[in-house]
Amino acid sequence: DAGVIQSPRHEVTEMGQEVTLRCKPISGHNSLFWYRQTMMRGLELLIYFNNNVPIDDSGMPEDRFSAKMPNASFSTLKIQPSEPRDSAVYFCASSAGGKGTEAFFGQGTRLTVV
Amino acid sequence: AQKITQTQPGMFVQEKEAVTLDCTYDTSDPSYGLFWYKQPSSGEMIFLIYQGSYDQQNATEGRYSLNFQKARKSANLVISASQLGDSAMYFCAMREGLASGGSYIPTFGRGTSLIVHP
C-alpha cells in the first residue's frame, strides 16, 4: 500500500480564497483524522470520521472549515474563506480504529495564506 | 487537563550515547495504547513504537524502547546509540477512553526536539 496520500503538498493562497485539501486513506482503514499542526498549538484534532461518517468535529475552529468523506477512499478539508491565521501544516491520518493500532499519517499539506 | 505531557521542549545528546525522552499521561481508562512518533525536518510523522496498557513487558523496536511505568503513568522513550539521523521532533500519543463512534482518537503531546551532536 502507498500509505496515506495527501494533496497538494504545498498551497499558497490569498486571503479570502477557498482552499481544498485532499486525502486518500490506507485501504481497509475505517477511521480517518484531520489534524492541524502549528508552533503555537501543536497537533490539534480538527475532525474524525468513522466508516465515512463524521463523528467528532468539535475541533473544527470555525464555520469556515468543513470536511467531507464521500467514500472510504477519499476525504476533503475545505476552508472558505481562508485567513492568514489558517496557515499551518494539515495532516490526514488513518487507522484501523482500535486502541492498539497506530495512526498512519500522510505527508501533510503546508498551507500559507497571504 | 493535558492528556499527554512532554516536559522537555528540547534535548541534546552526543552521537552514540543513549537519550530518554519523557512522557506522562492522564487517563482513568484501564485500557489504553501509548505511541511514539518521530517528525524529522522533512515534516512527515513516522510511527516508532507502541505499548499497550496491559502489556507486561516494555516494548522494544530496534534502538527504541519504551520505559513503561504504569503506576506513575509514565511512558518514556529511550533511544540507544543515538545517530545524527535521530535529530527530529518526537511526539508521545495515547488512544484511550470509550470508543467514540467506533474509534479511539489519538491525542498527542507538544513534542520534544532532539538534537544529536557529532
Side-chain angles (χ1 to χ4, degrees):
Chain A
D1 201 313
V4 178
I5 299 172
Q6 290 186 247
S7 64
R9 291 291 309 278
H10 303 273
E11 177 79 36
V12 180
T13 190
E14 291 186 345
M15 182 173 62
Q17 296 297 306
E18 177 180 295
V19 175
T20 299
L21 311 181
R22 296 172 176 80
C23 174
K24 176 177 168 38
I26 292 173
S27 176
H29 283 184
N30 61 348
S31 296
L32 184 140
F33 310 91
W34 281 100
Y35 287 90
R36 178 172 69 176
Q37 185 178 35
T38 61
M39 288 293 292
M40 290 293 293
R41 302 172 72 93
L43 266 166
E44 304 173 272
L45 179 74
L46 298 178
I47 186 169
Y48 127 70
F49 294 85
N50 192 62
N51 293 322
N52 313 338
V53 177
I55 302 300
D56 184 351
D57 66 354
S58 59
M60 297 286 261
E62 301 171 34
D63 291 345
R64 298 184 296 106
F65 286 69
S66 62
K68 294 182 179 179
M69 192 166 185
N71 57 62
S73 59
F74 184 64
S75 177
T76 60
L77 178 67
K78 185 178 293 186
I79 309 172
Q80 164 64 18
S82 58
E83 296 183 3
R85 59 192 167 122
D86 302 330
S87 297
V89 178
Y90 291 80
F91 284 103
C92 174
S94 71
S95 84
K99 290 179 181 177
T101 57
E102 67 269 32
F104 291 84
F105 281 75
Q107 297 274 61
T109 295
R110 182 174 295 276
L111 173 65
T112 303
V113 183
V114 298
Chain B
Q2 289 286 327
K3 287 283 188 180
I4 297 286
T5 302
Q6 296 181 253
T7 57
Q8 306 154 313
M11 288 284 286
F12 296 86
V13 66
Q14 197 79 23
E15 192 178 10
K16 299 180 185 176
E17 296 292 314
V19 63
T20 298
L21 306 184
D22 294 343
C23 173
T24 57
Y25 57 91
D26 180 28
T27 181
S28 56
D29 188 352
S31 174
Y32 49 90
L34 296 160
F35 305 82
W36 278 91
Y37 287 80
K38 172 184 179 181
Q39 186 177 41
S41 58
S42 52
E44 70 267 36
M45 293 285 284
I46 302 166
F47 165 72
L48 295 177
I49 194 168
Y50 159 77
Q51 178 85 42
S53 59
Y54 291 122
D55 293 344
Q56 295 297 313
Q57 306 266 7
N58 285 342
T60 60
E61 288 286 349
R63 293 185 299 110
Y64 303 109
S65 61
L66 201 152
N67 184 0
F68 181 46
Q69 298 186 42
K70 193 170 183 176
R72 298 178 63 180
K73 295 188 176 177
S74 167
N76 298 340
L77 177 70
V78 180
I79 306 174
S80 62
S82 298
Q83 301 172 356
L84 296 179
D86 294 334
S87 295
M89 283 290 291
Y90 288 81
F91 292 92
C92 181
M94 177 172 63
R95 299 184 86 164
E96 49 91 33
L98 294 175
S100 176
S103 186
Y104 303 88
I105 299 170
T107 305
F108 287 81
R110 294 301 302 269
T112 295
S113 175
L114 175 67
I115 296 176
V116 180
H117 288 298

